[in-house]
Amino acid sequence: MESFVNAVNGLIWSKALIALCLGAGLYFSIRTRFMQVRGIGEMLRLMGSGKASAAGVSAFQALAMSLSGRVGTGNIAGVATAITFGGPGAVFWMWVVAFFGASTAYVESTLAQIYKEKDEKGQYRGGPAYYIEKAMGQRWYAWLFALSTVLATGLLLPGVQANSIALGLNTAWGVAPSVTAAGIVVALGFIIFGGVKRIAHFAQLVVPFMALAYILVALTIMFLNIHQVPEVVSLILRSAFGAEAAFGAVLGLAVEWGVKRGIYSNEAGQGTGAHPAAAAEVSHPAKQGYVQAFSVYVDTLLVCSATAFMILSTGMYNVMNAAGATIVDNLPGVEAGPGYAQAAVESVLPGTGAAFVALALLFFAFTTIVAYYYMAETNISYINRRAQRPWMVLALRIGILAAVTYGTVRSANLAWALGDIGVGLMAWLNIVAILILQKPALAALRDYERQNKAGTEPVFDPQALGIRNADYWEKRSPSPP
């Protein structure tokens, strides 16, 4: 089973996908005139603007929902695996994919807003499947993405998050994986049977708190190891370009693992962040594009960097080459994953490390599982637009609970390999789509900037921009919320 999964994983995550992720990010950065740099002030301003409605969530709730998907086990265990198999230089390439990926996140999130619609319950739904059908006119491609997303976020990806929760709790308190699985299933069942609004409120409460607490602890460790910080930055940069002799053998792997774990963590280009973006109540689609671009920064440049600096400044990591031979063996017998961060915190704050990281991972990973369910449900909603199949939602709920149970008790390597297949499959389908469909998102950016410069509250009129099939916006009342 594991060898088959690894073979499929290797096929999907070829060098072509690495190049596509980086190339698309660079291309969109140029086309948007590096909005991820020019627009930082606007991103911060828009985070707190807007209110929820009966149909949609507020801008901040949409940000929290997307962050609950982006900030997960990839920010702790993912960084550890990137360093293990790509060396410290992999962290630099995670930064690179985040910087360029912010513009990719703008494009996919703005497209999701432009082509969103209301479901049978009157709530906003949108995402890649919707904009592929409406803007590209290729329904088969939209269905392929929808089915792939249900498979990835409903069955393949939740197991990775659950597996890391189990590892963290077992290391901290010796909790058996079967007990962890039962706890996750009960809590997840309560939330996913409560609907989108309950998911939004849950994410709004939990995500900011858990991210802030984690970053504060990381800053404390960095302060206590302040003399190590310049050397850590230097090590990351030297390793990223092969200037560090010890890691010269893993130079190519630094790029591969940095991009792979960067995309897994911040999800830019994967299409997942576009789903909560479509649920926001805004007067102009570009508003959510800005907000979602900022979420990529929060995920990688803040939370992932916090983990990387904790691990590297304390020396609590191992590095292996492509053949599986150990290059650095600072933690003998410790599997690549949350154990690195737990050992890092423990070395500086004895008696608290394992427990704190286990709790952080519990919150990070659990909210990500909840977000995965929302994304899968959104694509079920897309599939059911023309024919009601209520059994599909029930099947999804049972499926994700089963996937969580399976992932909790399986090996970490198998769980990560299955997750990588899900991420890679979605990235291939979505990045190709947004490269073809970029024009409406770029037109929306120019329109938003023009109205902002004129001092008016930006309001979206798709017909004035020559954008067709934006049905919701064409029917919308001209007065903004």
Side-chain angles (χ1 to χ4, degrees), residues 21-30 32 34-36 92-107 263 266 268-269 293 296-297 301:
C21 292
L22 288 173
L26 175 60
Y27 174 75
F28 288 133
S29 296
I30 294 170
T32 60
F34 287 88
M35 61 77 59
Q36 70 265 49
F92 172 81
W93 293 103
M94 291 182 76
W95 293 340
V96 170
V97 87
F99 176 74
F100 290 129
S103 64
T104 306
Y106 165 81
V107 172
I263 293 293
N266 64 51
V296 173
Y297 285 164
L301 300 186

PDB file of all heavy atoms in Angstrom, residues 21-30 32 34-36 92-107 263 266 268-269 293 296-297 301:
ATOM      1  N   CYS A  21       4.106  25.717  -9.858  1.00  0.00           N
ATOM      2  CA  CYS A  21       3.754  26.486  -8.657  1.00  0.00           C
ATOM      3  C   CYS A  21       4.576  27.768  -8.564  1.00  0.00           C
ATOM      4  O   CYS A  21       4.030  28.861  -8.341  1.00  0.00           O
ATOM      5  CB  CYS A  21       3.973  25.641  -7.400  1.00  0.00           C
ATOM      6  SG  CYS A  21       2.842  24.239  -7.235  1.00  0.00           S
ATOM      7  N   LEU A  22       5.894  27.651  -8.737  1.00  0.00           N
ATOM      8  CA  LEU A  22       6.764  28.831  -8.648  1.00  0.00           C
ATOM      9  C   LEU A  22       6.547  29.763  -9.836  1.00  0.00           C
ATOM     10  O   LEU A  22       6.475  30.988  -9.685  1.00  0.00           O
ATOM     11  CB  LEU A  22       8.234  28.397  -8.591  1.00  0.00           C
ATOM     12  CG  LEU A  22       8.705  27.743  -7.292  1.00  0.00           C
ATOM     13  CD1 LEU A  22      10.132  27.218  -7.447  1.00  0.00           C
ATOM     14  CD2 LEU A  22       8.631  28.726  -6.136  1.00  0.00           C
ATOM     15  N   GLY A  23       6.428  29.179 -11.044  1.00  0.00           N
ATOM     16  CA  GLY A  23       6.254  29.987 -12.250  1.00  0.00           C
ATOM     17  C   GLY A  23       4.951  30.759 -12.258  1.00  0.00           C
ATOM     18  O   GLY A  23       4.914  31.937 -12.627  1.00  0.00           O
ATOM     19  N   ALA A  24       3.872  30.119 -11.821  1.00  0.00           N
ATOM     20  CA  ALA A  24       2.574  30.798 -11.774  1.00  0.00           C
ATOM     21  C   ALA A  24       2.609  31.950 -10.777  1.00  0.00           C
ATOM     22  O   ALA A  24       2.092  33.042 -11.047  1.00  0.00           O
ATOM     23  CB  ALA A  24       1.469  29.813 -11.406  1.00  0.00           C
ATOM     24  N   GLY A  25       3.243  31.731  -9.627  1.00  0.00           N
ATOM     25  CA  GLY A  25       3.343  32.787  -8.626  1.00  0.00           C
ATOM     26  C   GLY A  25       4.122  33.986  -9.140  1.00  0.00           C
ATOM     27  O   GLY A  25       3.727  35.144  -8.927  1.00  0.00           O
ATOM     28  N   LEU A  26       5.238  33.723  -9.812  1.00  0.00           N
ATOM     29  CA  LEU A  26       6.038  34.812 -10.383  1.00  0.00           C
ATOM     30  C   LEU A  26       5.249  35.548 -11.459  1.00  0.00           C
ATOM     31  O   LEU A  26       5.235  36.793 -11.520  1.00  0.00           O
ATOM     32  CB  LEU A  26       7.333  34.241 -10.969  1.00  0.00           C
ATOM     33  CG  LEU A  26       8.236  35.229 -11.716  1.00  0.00           C
ATOM     34  CD1 LEU A  26       8.681  36.368 -10.797  1.00  0.00           C
ATOM     35  CD2 LEU A  26       9.449  34.507 -12.315  1.00  0.00           C
ATOM     36  N   TYR A  27       4.566  34.795 -12.310  1.00  0.00           N
ATOM     37  CA  TYR A  27       3.785  35.393 -13.394  1.00  0.00           C
ATOM     38  C   TYR A  27       2.667  36.288 -12.860  1.00  0.00           C
ATOM     39  O   TYR A  27       2.493  37.427 -13.304  1.00  0.00           O
ATOM     40  CB  TYR A  27       3.197  34.276 -14.264  1.00  0.00           C
ATOM     41  CG  TYR A  27       2.243  34.772 -15.331  1.00  0.00           C
ATOM     42  CD1 TYR A  27       2.723  35.417 -16.472  1.00  0.00           C
ATOM     43  CD2 TYR A  27       0.873  34.597 -15.198  1.00  0.00           C
ATOM     44  CE1 TYR A  27       1.852  35.878 -17.449  1.00  0.00           C
ATOM     45  CE2 TYR A  27      -0.004  35.047 -16.165  1.00  0.00           C
ATOM     46  CZ  TYR A  27       0.490  35.687 -17.290  1.00  0.00           C
ATOM     47  OH  TYR A  27      -0.370  36.158 -18.248  1.00  0.00           O
ATOM     48  N   PHE A  28       1.919  35.784 -11.863  1.00  0.00           N
ATOM     49  CA  PHE A  28       0.832  36.586 -11.299  1.00  0.00           C
ATOM     50  C   PHE A  28       1.359  37.795 -10.528  1.00  0.00           C
ATOM     51  O   PHE A  28       0.699  38.838 -10.477  1.00  0.00           O
ATOM     52  CB  PHE A  28      -0.052  35.732 -10.396  1.00  0.00           C
ATOM     53  CG  PHE A  28      -0.928  34.753 -11.131  1.00  0.00           C
ATOM     54  CD1 PHE A  28      -1.015  33.427 -10.729  1.00  0.00           C
ATOM     55  CD2 PHE A  28      -1.666  35.158 -12.238  1.00  0.00           C
ATOM     56  CE1 PHE A  28      -1.823  32.527 -11.408  1.00  0.00           C
ATOM     57  CE2 PHE A  28      -2.482  34.263 -12.928  1.00  0.00           C
ATOM     58  CZ  PHE A  28      -2.552  32.947 -12.518  1.00  0.00           C
ATOM     59  N   SER A  29       2.544  37.659  -9.942  1.00  0.00           N
ATOM     60  CA  SER A  29       3.151  38.808  -9.261  1.00  0.00           C
ATOM     61  C   SER A  29       3.427  39.929 -10.261  1.00  0.00           C
ATOM     62  O   SER A  29       3.158  41.107  -9.984  1.00  0.00           O
ATOM     63  CB  SER A  29       4.462  38.389  -8.572  1.00  0.00           C
ATOM     64  OG  SER A  29       4.220  37.456  -7.546  1.00  0.00           O
ATOM     65  N   ILE A  30       3.931  39.557 -11.420  1.00  0.00           N
ATOM     66  CA  ILE A  30       4.215  40.556 -12.458  1.00  0.00           C
ATOM     67  C   ILE A  30       2.918  41.147 -13.001  1.00  0.00           C
ATOM     68  O   ILE A  30       2.790  42.369 -13.162  1.00  0.00           O
ATOM     69  CB  ILE A  30       5.048  39.911 -13.591  1.00  0.00           C
ATOM     70  CG1 ILE A  30       6.431  39.515 -13.056  1.00  0.00           C
ATOM     71  CG2 ILE A  30       5.184  40.872 -14.771  1.00  0.00           C
ATOM     72  CD1 ILE A  30       7.244  38.658 -14.006  1.00  0.00           C
ATOM     73  N   THR A  32       0.026  41.418 -11.577  1.00  0.00           N
ATOM     74  CA  THR A  32      -0.679  42.254 -10.594  1.00  0.00           C
ATOM     75  C   THR A  32       0.199  43.410 -10.115  1.00  0.00           C
ATOM     76  O   THR A  32      -0.190  44.143  -9.204  1.00  0.00           O
ATOM     77  CB  THR A  32      -1.113  41.428  -9.361  1.00  0.00           C
ATOM     78  OG1 THR A  32       0.050  40.876  -8.739  1.00  0.00           O
ATOM     79  CG2 THR A  32      -2.069  40.314  -9.750  1.00  0.00           C
ATOM     80  N   PHE A  34       2.913  43.215  -8.466  1.00  0.00           N
ATOM     81  CA  PHE A  34       3.318  42.866  -7.098  1.00  0.00           C
ATOM     82  C   PHE A  34       2.363  43.472  -6.075  1.00  0.00           C
ATOM     83  O   PHE A  34       2.772  44.154  -5.137  1.00  0.00           O
ATOM     84  CB  PHE A  34       4.766  43.295  -6.840  1.00  0.00           C
ATOM     85  CG  PHE A  34       5.772  42.431  -7.553  1.00  0.00           C
ATOM     86  CD1 PHE A  34       6.168  42.713  -8.858  1.00  0.00           C
ATOM     87  CD2 PHE A  34       6.280  41.289  -6.930  1.00  0.00           C
ATOM     88  CE1 PHE A  34       7.081  41.896  -9.522  1.00  0.00           C
ATOM     89  CE2 PHE A  34       7.194  40.469  -7.594  1.00  0.00           C
ATOM     90  CZ  PHE A  34       7.594  40.769  -8.889  1.00  0.00           C
ATOM     91  N   MET A  35       1.077  43.187  -6.268  1.00  0.00           N
ATOM     92  CA  MET A  35       0.069  43.675  -5.325  1.00  0.00           C
ATOM     93  C   MET A  35       0.324  43.168  -3.909  1.00  0.00           C
ATOM     94  O   MET A  35      -0.083  43.788  -2.929  1.00  0.00           O
ATOM     95  CB  MET A  35      -1.339  43.288  -5.783  1.00  0.00           C
ATOM     96  CG  MET A  35      -1.651  41.803  -5.912  1.00  0.00           C
ATOM     97  SD  MET A  35      -1.952  40.868  -4.383  1.00  0.00           S
ATOM     98  CE  MET A  35      -3.334  41.752  -3.729  1.00  0.00           C
ATOM     99  N   GLN A  36       1.036  42.030  -3.796  1.00  0.00           N
ATOM    100  CA  GLN A  36       1.315  41.499  -2.467  1.00  0.00           C
ATOM    101  C   GLN A  36       2.296  42.374  -1.687  1.00  0.00           C
ATOM    102  O   GLN A  36       2.435  42.227  -0.469  1.00  0.00           O
ATOM    103  CB  GLN A  36       1.828  40.056  -2.540  1.00  0.00           C
ATOM    104  CG  GLN A  36       3.231  39.882  -3.130  1.00  0.00           C
ATOM    105  CD  GLN A  36       3.204  39.574  -4.596  1.00  0.00           C
ATOM    106  OE1 GLN A  36       2.535  40.246  -5.376  1.00  0.00           O
ATOM    107  NE2 GLN A  36       3.951  38.557  -5.011  1.00  0.00           N
ATOM    108  N   PHE A  92      13.823  28.516   3.221  1.00  0.00           N
ATOM    109  CA  PHE A  92      13.897  29.661   2.297  1.00  0.00           C
ATOM    110  C   PHE A  92      12.917  29.485   1.151  1.00  0.00           C
ATOM    111  O   PHE A  92      12.223  30.435   0.757  1.00  0.00           O
ATOM    112  CB  PHE A  92      15.316  29.803   1.749  1.00  0.00           C
ATOM    113  CG  PHE A  92      15.438  30.835   0.654  1.00  0.00           C
ATOM    114  CD1 PHE A  92      15.543  32.180   0.960  1.00  0.00           C
ATOM    115  CD2 PHE A  92      15.427  30.466  -0.692  1.00  0.00           C
ATOM    116  CE1 PHE A  92      15.641  33.139  -0.043  1.00  0.00           C
ATOM    117  CE2 PHE A  92      15.522  31.403  -1.691  1.00  0.00           C
ATOM    118  CZ  PHE A  92      15.632  32.755  -1.372  1.00  0.00           C
ATOM    119  N   TRP A  93      12.840  28.272   0.609  1.00  0.00           N
ATOM    120  CA  TRP A  93      11.948  28.045  -0.525  1.00  0.00           C
ATOM    121  C   TRP A  93      10.487  28.046  -0.104  1.00  0.00           C
ATOM    122  O   TRP A  93       9.602  28.336  -0.913  1.00  0.00           O
ATOM    123  CB  TRP A  93      12.346  26.758  -1.250  1.00  0.00           C
ATOM    124  CG  TRP A  93      13.690  26.919  -1.898  1.00  0.00           C
ATOM    125  CD1 TRP A  93      14.882  26.428  -1.476  1.00  0.00           C
ATOM    126  CD2 TRP A  93      13.971  27.697  -3.063  1.00  0.00           C
ATOM    127  NE1 TRP A  93      15.896  26.841  -2.300  1.00  0.00           N
ATOM    128  CE2 TRP A  93      15.369  27.617  -3.290  1.00  0.00           C
ATOM    129  CE3 TRP A  93      13.190  28.450  -3.936  1.00  0.00           C
ATOM    130  CZ2 TRP A  93      15.993  28.263  -4.351  1.00  0.00           C
ATOM    131  CZ3 TRP A  93      13.799  29.096  -4.997  1.00  0.00           C
ATOM    132  CH2 TRP A  93      15.175  29.001  -5.194  1.00  0.00           C
ATOM    133  N   MET A  94      10.216  27.764   1.168  1.00  0.00           N
ATOM    134  CA  MET A  94       8.861  27.957   1.690  1.00  0.00           C
ATOM    135  C   MET A  94       8.522  29.451   1.698  1.00  0.00           C
ATOM    136  O   MET A  94       7.396  29.836   1.378  1.00  0.00           O
ATOM    137  CB  MET A  94       8.744  27.376   3.103  1.00  0.00           C
ATOM    138  CG  MET A  94       8.812  25.856   3.158  1.00  0.00           C
ATOM    139  SD  MET A  94       8.612  25.174   4.833  1.00  0.00           S
ATOM    140  CE  MET A  94       6.842  25.356   5.045  1.00  0.00           C
ATOM    141  N   TRP A  95       9.497  30.286   2.049  1.00  0.00           N
ATOM    142  CA  TRP A  95       9.285  31.741   2.011  1.00  0.00           C
ATOM    143  C   TRP A  95       9.017  32.218   0.590  1.00  0.00           C
ATOM    144  O   TRP A  95       8.147  33.043   0.349  1.00  0.00           O
ATOM    145  CB  TRP A  95      10.497  32.469   2.576  1.00  0.00           C
ATOM    146  CG  TRP A  95      10.744  32.281   4.033  1.00  0.00           C
ATOM    147  CD1 TRP A  95       9.837  31.856   4.976  1.00  0.00           C
ATOM    148  CD2 TRP A  95      11.977  32.489   4.736  1.00  0.00           C
ATOM    149  NE1 TRP A  95      10.427  31.797   6.213  1.00  0.00           N
ATOM    150  CE2 TRP A  95      11.733  32.179   6.107  1.00  0.00           C
ATOM    151  CE3 TRP A  95      13.248  32.910   4.359  1.00  0.00           C
ATOM    152  CZ2 TRP A  95      12.731  32.285   7.080  1.00  0.00           C
ATOM    153  CZ3 TRP A  95      14.238  33.014   5.324  1.00  0.00           C
ATOM    154  CH2 TRP A  95      13.972  32.709   6.672  1.00  0.00           C
ATOM    155  N   VAL A  96       9.810  31.691  -0.346  1.00  0.00           N
ATOM    156  CA  VAL A  96       9.668  32.099  -1.745  1.00  0.00           C
ATOM    157  C   VAL A  96       8.282  31.758  -2.275  1.00  0.00           C
ATOM    158  O   VAL A  96       7.609  32.585  -2.914  1.00  0.00           O
ATOM    159  CB  VAL A  96      10.754  31.439  -2.630  1.00  0.00           C
ATOM    160  CG1 VAL A  96      10.465  31.660  -4.114  1.00  0.00           C
ATOM    161  CG2 VAL A  96      12.127  31.993  -2.282  1.00  0.00           C
ATOM    162  N   VAL A  97       7.839  30.534  -2.005  1.00  0.00           N
ATOM    163  CA  VAL A  97       6.537  30.107  -2.520  1.00  0.00           C
ATOM    164  C   VAL A  97       5.412  30.889  -1.846  1.00  0.00           C
ATOM    165  O   VAL A  97       4.361  31.132  -2.452  1.00  0.00           O
ATOM    166  CB  VAL A  97       6.369  28.578  -2.348  1.00  0.00           C
ATOM    167  CG1 VAL A  97       5.797  28.190  -1.004  1.00  0.00           C
ATOM    168  CG2 VAL A  97       5.500  27.999  -3.447  1.00  0.00           C
ATOM    169  N   ALA A  98       5.631  31.358  -0.616  1.00  0.00           N
ATOM    170  CA  ALA A  98       4.627  32.184   0.063  1.00  0.00           C
ATOM    171  C   ALA A  98       4.578  33.584  -0.546  1.00  0.00           C
ATOM    172  O   ALA A  98       3.495  34.133  -0.778  1.00  0.00           O
ATOM    173  CB  ALA A  98       4.934  32.276   1.556  1.00  0.00           C
ATOM    174  N   PHE A  99       5.753  34.161  -0.811  1.00  0.00           N
ATOM    175  CA  PHE A  99       5.794  35.518  -1.369  1.00  0.00           C
ATOM    176  C   PHE A  99       5.107  35.570  -2.732  1.00  0.00           C
ATOM    177  O   PHE A  99       4.224  36.400  -2.974  1.00  0.00           O
ATOM    178  CB  PHE A  99       7.242  36.000  -1.496  1.00  0.00           C
ATOM    179  CG  PHE A  99       7.366  37.341  -2.154  1.00  0.00           C
ATOM    180  CD1 PHE A  99       7.020  38.493  -1.474  1.00  0.00           C
ATOM    181  CD2 PHE A  99       7.809  37.444  -3.467  1.00  0.00           C
ATOM    182  CE1 PHE A  99       7.121  39.740  -2.083  1.00  0.00           C
ATOM    183  CE2 PHE A  99       7.915  38.676  -4.090  1.00  0.00           C
ATOM    184  CZ  PHE A  99       7.567  39.835  -3.393  1.00  0.00           C
ATOM    185  N   PHE A 100       5.496  34.662  -3.621  1.00  0.00           N
ATOM    186  CA  PHE A 100       4.868  34.640  -4.947  1.00  0.00           C
ATOM    187  C   PHE A 100       3.444  34.088  -4.869  1.00  0.00           C
ATOM    188  O   PHE A 100       2.561  34.506  -5.622  1.00  0.00           O
ATOM    189  CB  PHE A 100       5.707  33.806  -5.921  1.00  0.00           C
ATOM    190  CG  PHE A 100       7.015  34.439  -6.290  1.00  0.00           C
ATOM    191  CD1 PHE A 100       8.209  33.740  -6.195  1.00  0.00           C
ATOM    192  CD2 PHE A 100       7.069  35.750  -6.725  1.00  0.00           C
ATOM    193  CE1 PHE A 100       9.416  34.322  -6.536  1.00  0.00           C
ATOM    194  CE2 PHE A 100       8.275  36.344  -7.073  1.00  0.00           C
ATOM    195  CZ  PHE A 100       9.454  35.630  -6.978  1.00  0.00           C
ATOM    196  N   GLY A 101       3.228  33.155  -3.940  1.00  0.00           N
ATOM    197  CA  GLY A 101       1.915  32.540  -3.816  1.00  0.00           C
ATOM    198  C   GLY A 101       0.835  33.498  -3.357  1.00  0.00           C
ATOM    199  O   GLY A 101      -0.352  33.259  -3.596  1.00  0.00           O
ATOM    200  N   ALA A 102       1.216  34.598  -2.698  1.00  0.00           N
ATOM    201  CA  ALA A 102       0.222  35.582  -2.260  1.00  0.00           C
ATOM    202  C   ALA A 102      -0.532  36.156  -3.454  1.00  0.00           C
ATOM    203  O   ALA A 102      -1.744  36.395  -3.388  1.00  0.00           O
ATOM    204  CB  ALA A 102       0.894  36.701  -1.464  1.00  0.00           C
ATOM    205  N   SER A 103       0.162  36.370  -4.563  1.00  0.00           N
ATOM    206  CA  SER A 103      -0.515  36.893  -5.760  1.00  0.00           C
ATOM    207  C   SER A 103      -1.404  35.818  -6.379  1.00  0.00           C
ATOM    208  O   SER A 103      -2.472  36.118  -6.913  1.00  0.00           O
ATOM    209  CB  SER A 103       0.520  37.390  -6.793  1.00  0.00           C
ATOM    210  OG  SER A 103       1.324  36.321  -7.254  1.00  0.00           O
ATOM    211  N   THR A 104      -0.968  34.562  -6.313  1.00  0.00           N
ATOM    212  CA  THR A 104      -1.800  33.458  -6.790  1.00  0.00           C
ATOM    213  C   THR A 104      -3.079  33.368  -5.957  1.00  0.00           C
ATOM    214  O   THR A 104      -4.172  33.155  -6.495  1.00  0.00           O
ATOM    215  CB  THR A 104      -1.031  32.124  -6.705  1.00  0.00           C
ATOM    216  OG1 THR A 104       0.215  32.245  -7.400  1.00  0.00           O
ATOM    217  CG2 THR A 104      -1.828  30.989  -7.309  1.00  0.00           C
ATOM    218  N   ALA A 105      -2.931  33.530  -4.635  1.00  0.00           N
ATOM    219  CA  ALA A 105      -4.095  33.499  -3.741  1.00  0.00           C
ATOM    220  C   ALA A 105      -5.058  34.636  -4.074  1.00  0.00           C
ATOM    221  O   ALA A 105      -6.283  34.462  -4.007  1.00  0.00           O
ATOM    222  CB  ALA A 105      -3.648  33.593  -2.287  1.00  0.00           C
ATOM    223  N   TYR A 106      -4.513  35.807  -4.432  1.00  0.00           N
ATOM    224  CA  TYR A 106      -5.388  36.924  -4.833  1.00  0.00           C
ATOM    225  C   TYR A 106      -6.235  36.517  -6.033  1.00  0.00           C
ATOM    226  O   TYR A 106      -7.454  36.723  -6.054  1.00  0.00           O
ATOM    227  CB  TYR A 106      -4.578  38.183  -5.181  1.00  0.00           C
ATOM    228  CG  TYR A 106      -5.434  39.168  -5.935  1.00  0.00           C
ATOM    229  CD1 TYR A 106      -6.308  40.003  -5.247  1.00  0.00           C
ATOM    230  CD2 TYR A 106      -5.469  39.183  -7.332  1.00  0.00           C
ATOM    231  CE1 TYR A 106      -7.173  40.840  -5.928  1.00  0.00           C
ATOM    232  CE2 TYR A 106      -6.319  40.019  -8.024  1.00  0.00           C
ATOM    233  CZ  TYR A 106      -7.177  40.851  -7.319  1.00  0.00           C
ATOM    234  OH  TYR A 106      -8.047  41.663  -7.992  1.00  0.00           O
ATOM    235  N   VAL A 107      -5.599  35.955  -7.052  1.00  0.00           N
ATOM    236  CA  VAL A 107      -6.300  35.627  -8.302  1.00  0.00           C
ATOM    237  C   VAL A 107      -7.400  34.598  -8.052  1.00  0.00           C
ATOM    238  O   VAL A 107      -8.555  34.792  -8.465  1.00  0.00           O
ATOM    239  CB  VAL A 107      -5.306  35.115  -9.369  1.00  0.00           C
ATOM    240  CG1 VAL A 107      -6.056  34.586 -10.598  1.00  0.00           C
ATOM    241  CG2 VAL A 107      -4.350  36.232  -9.779  1.00  0.00           C
ATOM    242  N   ILE A 263       3.401  24.789  -0.305  1.00  0.00           N
ATOM    243  CA  ILE A 263       2.064  24.698  -0.897  1.00  0.00           C
ATOM    244  C   ILE A 263       1.118  23.955   0.049  1.00  0.00           C
ATOM    245  O   ILE A 263      -0.038  24.347   0.221  1.00  0.00           O
ATOM    246  CB  ILE A 263       2.113  23.967  -2.264  1.00  0.00           C
ATOM    247  CG1 ILE A 263       2.874  24.806  -3.284  1.00  0.00           C
ATOM    248  CG2 ILE A 263       0.707  23.675  -2.770  1.00  0.00           C
ATOM    249  CD1 ILE A 263       2.206  26.084  -3.686  1.00  0.00           C
ATOM    250  N   ASN A 266       0.496  26.761   3.030  1.00  0.00           N
ATOM    251  CA  ASN A 266      -0.274  27.999   2.758  1.00  0.00           C
ATOM    252  C   ASN A 266      -1.363  27.824   1.707  1.00  0.00           C
ATOM    253  O   ASN A 266      -2.201  28.720   1.552  1.00  0.00           O
ATOM    254  CB  ASN A 266       0.666  29.155   2.383  1.00  0.00           C
ATOM    255  CG  ASN A 266       1.435  28.919   1.103  1.00  0.00           C
ATOM    256  OD1 ASN A 266       0.873  28.585   0.066  1.00  0.00           O
ATOM    257  ND2 ASN A 266       2.760  29.107   1.151  1.00  0.00           N
ATOM    258  N   ALA A 268      -1.660  28.212  -1.355  1.00  0.00           N
ATOM    259  CA  ALA A 268      -1.783  29.152  -2.481  1.00  0.00           C
ATOM    260  C   ALA A 268      -1.714  28.396  -3.804  1.00  0.00           C
ATOM    261  O   ALA A 268      -0.758  27.676  -4.071  1.00  0.00           O
ATOM    262  CB  ALA A 268      -0.682  30.205  -2.414  1.00  0.00           C
ATOM    263  N   GLY A 269      -2.742  28.545  -4.630  1.00  0.00           N
ATOM    264  CA  GLY A 269      -2.803  27.865  -5.915  1.00  0.00           C
ATOM    265  C   GLY A 269      -3.509  26.532  -5.860  1.00  0.00           C
ATOM    266  O   GLY A 269      -3.921  25.990  -6.883  1.00  0.00           O
ATOM    267  N   ALA A 293      -4.757  37.042   0.189  1.00  0.00           N
ATOM    268  CA  ALA A 293      -3.317  37.143  -0.077  1.00  0.00           C
ATOM    269  C   ALA A 293      -2.561  37.317   1.238  1.00  0.00           C
ATOM    270  O   ALA A 293      -1.491  36.728   1.449  1.00  0.00           O
ATOM    271  CB  ALA A 293      -3.033  38.316  -1.016  1.00  0.00           C
ATOM    272  N   VAL A 296      -1.815  34.155   3.359  1.00  0.00           N
ATOM    273  CA  VAL A 296      -0.641  33.360   2.982  1.00  0.00           C
ATOM    274  C   VAL A 296       0.572  33.831   3.776  1.00  0.00           C
ATOM    275  O   VAL A 296       1.394  33.025   4.237  1.00  0.00           O
ATOM    276  CB  VAL A 296      -0.377  33.468   1.464  1.00  0.00           C
ATOM    277  CG1 VAL A 296       0.928  32.786   1.083  1.00  0.00           C
ATOM    278  CG2 VAL A 296      -1.534  32.853   0.685  1.00  0.00           C
ATOM    279  N   TYR A 297       0.711  35.153   3.935  1.00  0.00           N
ATOM    280  CA  TYR A 297       1.800  35.698   4.731  1.00  0.00           C
ATOM    281  C   TYR A 297       1.721  35.223   6.181  1.00  0.00           C
ATOM    282  O   TYR A 297       2.718  34.842   6.780  1.00  0.00           O
ATOM    283  CB  TYR A 297       1.756  37.230   4.708  1.00  0.00           C
ATOM    284  CG  TYR A 297       2.220  37.865   3.421  1.00  0.00           C
ATOM    285  CD1 TYR A 297       1.928  39.191   3.144  1.00  0.00           C
ATOM    286  CD2 TYR A 297       2.956  37.151   2.485  1.00  0.00           C
ATOM    287  CE1 TYR A 297       2.363  39.793   1.975  1.00  0.00           C
ATOM    288  CE2 TYR A 297       3.381  37.733   1.311  1.00  0.00           C
ATOM    289  CZ  TYR A 297       3.084  39.063   1.046  1.00  0.00           C
ATOM    290  OH  TYR A 297       3.510  39.656  -0.107  1.00  0.00           O
ATOM    291  N   LEU A 301       5.052  33.136   6.500  1.00  0.00           N
ATOM    292  CA  LEU A 301       6.079  34.064   6.976  1.00  0.00           C
ATOM    293  C   LEU A 301       6.027  34.242   8.487  1.00  0.00           C
ATOM    294  O   LEU A 301       7.036  34.596   9.100  1.00  0.00           O
ATOM    295  CB  LEU A 301       5.936  35.419   6.275  1.00  0.00           C
ATOM    296  CG  LEU A 301       6.066  35.381   4.737  1.00  0.00           C
ATOM    297  CD1 LEU A 301       6.057  36.786   4.162  1.00  0.00           C
ATOM    298  CD2 LEU A 301       7.341  34.650   4.313  1.00  0.00           C
TER     299      LEU A 301
END
